[in-house]
Amino acid sequence: MDKRLYNISLLGLSFLFLFAAYQTIGNIEETLLKSVQNEYPSFTGDGYTSLSISYFVFAMANWISPSIVNYTGCKIAMIIGAVCYTMFLVSFLWLSSFLLYLMSAVQGFGAAILWTGQGTYLTLNSDSSTMSRNTGMFWALSNLSMVLGNTFVSLALHNKSDFDEPTRKFIYIVLIAASVIGTSLFLLLRPPVSSDGTVNERVETISFVQETKNTMSLFLTKEMRLLNITFFFTGLHLSFYASVYSSSIGFTKRMGSNSKQLVGLSGVLIGVGEILGGLIFSTLGQKTFDNNTNSKGLSHSAVILLGFIVNIVAYGLIFINLPNDSPFGDTTAKSFIDPNQYLAIFCSFLLGFGDSCFNTQLYNIIGLRYSENSAPPMALFNFMQSIAAAVSFYYSNYFGIYVQLILLMASLTMATLSFFKVDESIDKRYYEEL
């Protein structure tokens, strides 16, 4: 295995363990904390509020994360970020509303550093001929975390109708252990290398003020303004599939007595969809960039169009399958059809696959268009995505699932059209090497 492929593989494996812990707790957090409230009425912590705080801090911290990554280097930045994730998970052992929300903010800060470092590290280990392969490989490996973590939760809830205290403690300890393993694996990362095998990490000491000016200047360019619309949609979609949808399934009592177990199964199928999308677009490799060549394959816009269709189908099926009040708590309300477990889980798969269509292509575009300095565009991607997720988690306490789905459909349409415009304007020189 060449050094660059080793780096990407280990990066994906590190994220696999870290996010097997974090994405799993995020998927079940609202449902799990409702169980805590039922046993301990004095506890008022809310899963949606916790996630909203996390993503809001994540968004704000993205304005300083490029400076931190440029100063510390990718590896150290990702280790710091991973430690923040682990601290958040450890806080569940001593649940209190104050500690939950404080550690949510700490995790959000760590997320900005982690993801900016990840995007920079992936770009530095790639070139135009390997960007699609590396993006797809990382995406598949990191999202295997959802399958593993949520399979564990489904097994832990076997023959249980709720998250009782012994089950919660068991889940916390296992997920914390996975997070510690993931954090430790970051220590094994090697410096990024160029195609000729030389070290490729650029550690700069640009002042915070200058870095912020550079990021703001990029933010205001026409191309980035269009991409921001697509980034924003991915944040709304992220919050919906990462917590709201699976929680809504678990709260829908008409799904059957095993509705809480379906929360974990939903997360598994979301992960399967994410992985399948990553593998498909990784296998296509160079064909994904055939816009200006004579080879047959999928263009960036074709993959985004596929994601648009898949997501529209998913939103429509969810609209008729779940009752409007399902995001708020246990409900026996009727939906347009009798809630169907198999349809609900199939929609989980569609949500994951649709998400992979958008995110893999956005990573590709950023890696190709901004290969000289990917930290600022990655920070802007994370900023727009996380601010949208924070807004979505906040309104999930107030808007029923019908309003949320309508907002997703409108945002999806705008995001798709914006991406088409950007893809059309990308200079042909970014594809000539292929």
Side-chain angles (χ1 to χ4, degrees), residues 9 60 106 117 150 179 248 299 334 386 397 402:
S9 300
M60 296 300 105
V106 169
N150 286 291
S179 183
S248 298
S299 66
K334 294 182 178 179
S386 52
N397 278 312
Y402 295 162

Side-chain angles (χ1 to χ4, degrees), residues 129-391:
S129 65
T130 60
M131 178 59 72
S132 180
R133 180 203 67 183
N134 291 348
T135 300
M137 180 183 298
F138 170 79
W139 193 255
L141 275 173
S142 62
N143 281 286
L144 183 58
S145 62
M146 297 190 70
V147 175
L148 298 179
N150 286 291
T151 297
F152 160 68
V153 169
S154 292
L155 294 174
L157 287 171
H158 184 62
N159 293 328
K160 295 179 183 290
S161 59
D162 211 343
F163 290 92
D164 55 62
E165 186 163 5
T167 302
R168 293 197 301 267
K169 293 284 187 182
F170 177 58
I171 290 173
Y172 299 155
I173 291 171
V174 172
L175 295 184
I176 290 169
S179 183
V180 170
I181 293 172
T183 302
S184 301
L185 287 174
F186 282 109
L187 297 170
L188 303 178
L189 287 175
R190 298 172 180 173
V193 293
S194 303
S195 56
D196 59 5
T198 59
V199 174
N200 191 32
E201 181 152 26
R202 299 185 296 271
V203 180
E204 303 175 19
T205 55
I206 300 175
S207 69
F208 166 71
V209 173
Q210 185 59 49
E211 189 67 61
T212 302
K213 287 181 178 179
N214 293 345
T215 304
M216 181 59 74
S217 297
L218 178 63
F219 183 77
L220 296 175
T221 62
K222 179 181 179 181
E223 194 170 84
M224 188 56 67
R225 291 200 305 272
L226 288 169
L227 280 174
N228 283 337
I229 298 173
T230 310
F231 295 162
F232 192 86
F233 160 72
T234 64
L236 297 183
H237 186 76
L238 166 67
S239 63
F240 186 74
Y241 80 73
S243 183
V244 176
Y245 180 60
S246 295
S247 297
S248 298
I249 294 175
F251 289 141
T252 303
K253 307 304 278 184
R254 287 175 178 264
M255 285 285 180
S257 59
N258 66 333
S259 61
K260 293 297 186 290
Q261 189 176 3
L262 291 175
V263 175
L265 188 58
S266 171
V268 171
L269 268 293
I270 291 170
V272 170
E274 297 274 15
I275 293 167
L276 182 61
L279 290 175
I280 288 174
F281 305 131
S282 175
T283 301
L284 286 175
Q286 295 181 7
K287 291 183 180 179
T288 308
F289 304 111
D290 75 335
N291 301 47
N292 302 291
T293 70
N294 294 322
S295 62
K296 295 181 179 180
L298 292 176
S299 66
H300 292 301
S301 292
V303 177
I304 292 295
L305 179 60
L306 175 62
F308 172 84
I309 295 170
V310 169
N311 283 329
I312 282 291
V313 171
Y315 298 155
L317 293 175
I318 294 168
F319 194 94
I320 64 174
N321 194 43
L322 294 184
N324 186 46
D325 62 350
S326 56
F328 306 135
D330 289 343
T331 178
T332 57
K334 294 182 178 179
S335 50
F336 286 92
I337 63 174
D338 192 34
N340 184 284
Q341 294 187 8
Y342 301 104
L343 183 58
I345 298 304
F346 175 64
C347 287
S348 299
F349 168 79
L350 294 180
L351 290 174
F353 187 83
D355 184 63
S356 72
C357 291
F358 274 82
N359 279 280
T360 54
Q361 301 315 299
L362 288 172
Y363 273 111
N364 289 340
I365 285 287
I366 291 173
L368 290 170
R369 178 66 180 84
Y370 305 100
S371 58
E372 292 302 315
N373 186 13
S374 62
M378 280 306 305
L380 291 176
F381 179 14
N382 294 332
F383 169 75
M384 292 302 298
Q385 187 179 70
S386 52
I387 201 71
V391 170

Side-chain angles (χ1 to χ4, degrees), residues 105-131:
V106 169
Q107 182 274 321
F109 174 78
I113 302 172
L114 179 76
W115 283 104
T116 302
Q118 176 272 336
T120 304
Y121 188 80
L122 189 148
T123 299
L124 293 176
N125 279 288
S126 307
D127 52 43
S128 58
S129 65
T130 60
M131 178 59 72

